[in-house]
Amino acid sequence: MNKSINKGISVLLATAVLASPLMLEPKAAYALSIEDVSADDTGADEETEYTIEFEINKDLSSGDSIFVRFPSEYSVDKKLKTSDVTLKDDDKNKISIDNVYVSKNVVEVEIDEKIKKGTVLILTIDNITNPEDKGSYEIEVKTSAETSYKGDKITIGKSSSSSSSSSKGDFEASHSSKNAEDAISLTLGKFNLTSKSKLKEGKYIYVNFPSKDMLPKSISKSDVKVNGYKPDYVSILDNDSIRIEIPSGADGDSYIKLEFTSSAGIVNPSKPDKYYSYEVEYDSKEYKSKDVEITNTSNTPFTVSLSDSSAGARTSYTFDVDLSTKLGSNAEIEVQFPSGVTVPPVLTSNSVTVNGAQVTNVSVLGNKVYFRTPYGFSSTNRATIKFALEGYLTTPGTAGTYTVTAKIDNKTYKSKEFQVTGVTPPVAVDNTLATVGLTRATASTPAGISIGIKAMGAQIVRNQGFIEVVLPVGFRVPAYLPANTVTVNGVAASFVGVRGQNLIIIPAQDIPAKTAAQVNIAETAGIVNPATPGVYSIGVYNSEERGLLFSRPATIVTLNGVSFKQNVASFTKSGKTTGLAVAPYTVNGNTLMPTTFFRDALGFSISYTKTTAKVVSGNTVMQFKVGSNVVNINGQNVTLPAAVQLKNNVPTLPLKTITERTGYKIIYVNGNYTVYK
C-alpha cells in the first residue's frame, strides 16, 4: 500500500481540550481535558484524518500555535501543508492558519488571527497513519498558553465510525460543501478493488459524475490525485465523465482513492437532491458511491445600494452580504458586475472597502473585480462591500433590472435585483459667452484661473458630480491641489483631484440644471503658466454631459510683460514688483495710469508737471493737459475716452489710448491686467 502522501476523507469528529489561563510564573502549568479523540479510520496501519476539539481559556493571538503530539507508533507525514489542516470554532466558522510544521511526531499549527478565550476549537489533521499494532494510544494537545501536554486515548484496530454507515454504495463521496452550485474539493474513496484486481500504470480509471453541470471544460492533472499521486493524464470525455491515467506511484495498489482540489473547477449540481452518486469504473468493474445530498444554498440574496440609479451614471455600489461561514483576513473576494456597467481598468485599494477596511491586491478583468480582505481583518459573518464614488464605476447604460454576483472565500452569493432608471437627457444651454481667464498671463508665472460657466445642461449633485478643467500641455499642474484653493460659486470645493493635466473639481453644493457656475482657482493652488508664449486652449467638461462644454483661448506672453491690478499701487515685471505713485483706477470704464508707469514699466520717455504730461515712444509723441479730454499725437488732436486727471501731483493718463498708439496689447481678467507687446 502507498500511504506516505495519501489524504483521508474529511469527516468532522470532535475532541475537546480545556485550557487554563497561562500565568507569568515559569512553574505554572495548565491542564487540558480531552473529552474525545476520533479518527476517520481506526483500522491498524491505515492512513486517516484526526479531529480534536478543545476550549481555550486564554486569548490566542496571530502567531500563536496549537501543538498535537502523536505516539511514536504513529507515522506523521513530514510534508504536511496548511491544506491538510483545518481549524474551526464550534459554529463551524473557519479560522485562518498561517503555517504548519512537523517535528518528529508533533504537529504545530500556527494561527493567523486572534481567538478569544472561551472559544471551542475543532482541529482536523489529515495524512496521519495509524500504528501497525492494535491497541490503545494516547493523543496529546497543548497551545502556546500551556507548558505541558494532556492527552486522551483512542483504540486502534476496531472499525471506524464512518464505515458503519447504513447508506448503500461501495465508497464515500466527500464534498467540501453541500450547497448547490458551490465550487468544491472532492474525495472519492478509498475503496478496495474486487478479487485480486490491482492498479496498473498507464491504464485508465473512469469517473461518471451525477450531474452534467458539475465539470469544467478541462481539468489540470495537477488538481487530481490517484492514491496520493498526480496522474499522467486527465481528460473530460463528455459533460459528466472523465478519464484518468494511472501514475507509476499507484502501480500495484489494490484500492482507489481519488482527490480533486477546489481549483479543479468542479461545482455542486445546481438542483438540490438527496440521491446524487458517483460511478468509478476500472478493469471492466464498476463501483458506486454512497448517496450524497445537495441542499439549497443557505445564502440569502444580498441588497445592492447605489448613490445614483440613473442609467449610465457614475455611482457608488454598496453590498450587504450575510455569509454562510465567517470571513477572515486575506480572504479572496470576486465581484462580477452586470453587463453594461463601466468598470475602470485600474481600481485603487482606497476605492474598495470591506466593513470599512481598505482591501488589498485589487485587480480588474473586464466586469470582474478581484481583491482580498486585509491582514488583521476581524472575523465576521456579515460583509459590507463598498465601491466608492471615487472608483468611477457606472450603472448600466440601459434602464432595467440587474443583479451582481460575489464569490467570497470560494462561496457564491447572488444579489437581489436592483433597478436602474432612465436618465433625463441634458437640457440645451448656451455657453457661447462662457469665459476662461488667467490672473497672470506672463510665461512661467504662477497663475489663478477664472471660469465663468453660463449654464449647466444637467444637475451637478454635490459631493458626487464634478466639473473637469483640462489644461493643455505646457501648464505645470501640481500632483495635489488643496480643496480650499478652489471655489465653486464662492464655496470651497468638496474635493479636487488631479489626473495628469486634468482637474476634477467636486462642488460642495448642488448646481441645478440651467444655472451658472463660477469656478475660481487661486494662484496659491500652484498652477504655473507655460514657459513658451503663445495661445493655449483650456477646455471645460462636467460629469453629467457628454462632450466638451466649451473651450477658450488663453494668451501667454513673454516674461517681460507688465502685470498690475486695479487699486493696487504697484506693477510686476520679470518677477520684480515696483511701486507706483498712484494706484490704477477706472473712470467710466476706462483705466487711468500714473504717467510714471509708462516710463518705469514700458520704458517710454516722459516729462510732466501739475498741468501737462508728455509721453514719447519711438516716433510717437503724445502731449496731454490735465482736465482735458483731448491729446495731441504727432500734431493731430485726438479725443480721449476720459479726461486727464491729477493724483498725488502726478497726471493720470488713459491706458488704452497710449497702448493702441504704441503697439502694446492688454489682457484683463477680474481686475488683473497684463500689458505686453
Side-chain angles (χ1 to χ4, degrees), residues 7 23 44 52 121 144 147 165 230 248 263 296 344 398 407 440 531 550 559 620-621 643 656:
K7 290 186 178 178
M23 306 294 289
I52 303 166
L121 300 176
S144 297
T147 58
S165 173
K230 183 172 70 176
S248 59
S263 56
N296 271 314
T398 304
K407 184 179 288 186
R440 296 179 187 270
F550 59 88
L559 190 57
T620 302
V621 179
K656 185 177 181 181

Side-chain angles (χ1 to χ4, degrees), residues 406-572:
K407 184 179 288 186
I408 303 175
D409 220 3
N410 287 323
K411 295 186 182 298
T412 301
Y413 302 83
K414 292 184 178 180
S415 79
K416 299 176 183 177
E417 291 185 341
F418 63 93
Q419 188 74 29
V420 173
T421 60
V423 60
T424 303
V427 297
V429 293
D430 185 3
N431 273 304
T432 55
L433 298 179
T435 59
V436 176
L438 304 176
T439 60
R440 296 179 187 270
T442 50
S444 300
T445 304
I449 304 175
S450 176
I451 301 168
I453 303 171
K454 289 302 180 180
M456 296 288 190
Q459 181 182 13
I460 304 296
V461 179
R462 61 181 173 180
N463 302 324
Q464 294 186 22
F466 59 85
I467 297 167
E468 186 167 7
V469 180
V470 181
L471 298 173
V473 175
F475 281 85
R476 296 209 307 270
V477 182
Y480 167 73
L481 267 70
N484 61 6
T485 63
V486 180
T487 60
V488 181
N489 291 344
V491 179
S494 174
F495 174 80
V496 179
V498 178
R499 295 191 298 185
Q501 295 293 110
N502 297 17
L503 306 180
I504 307 298
I505 302 169
I506 299 178
Q509 77 274 41
D510 292 338
I511 304 176
K514 298 184 179 180
T515 59
Q518 179 65 42
V519 179
N520 287 321
I521 304 170
E523 292 181 6
T524 55
I527 296 172
V528 178
N529 288 335
T532 304
V535 178
Y536 295 81
S537 180
I538 298 176
V540 179
Y541 299 77
N542 71 34
S543 57
E544 310 308 312
E545 299 179 69
R546 292 181 179 273
L548 179 71
L549 289 184
F550 59 88
S551 64
R552 296 292 180 268
T555 302
I556 303 299
V557 303
T558 58
L559 190 57
N560 62 2
V562 180
S563 298
F564 61 91
K565 295 183 179 181
Q566 293 186 50
N567 304 316
V568 177
S570 64
F571 66 87
T572 301

Side-chain angles (χ1 to χ4, degrees), residues 215-219 236:
L215 290 175
K217 293 182 179 180
S218 63
I219 294 180
I236 296 179

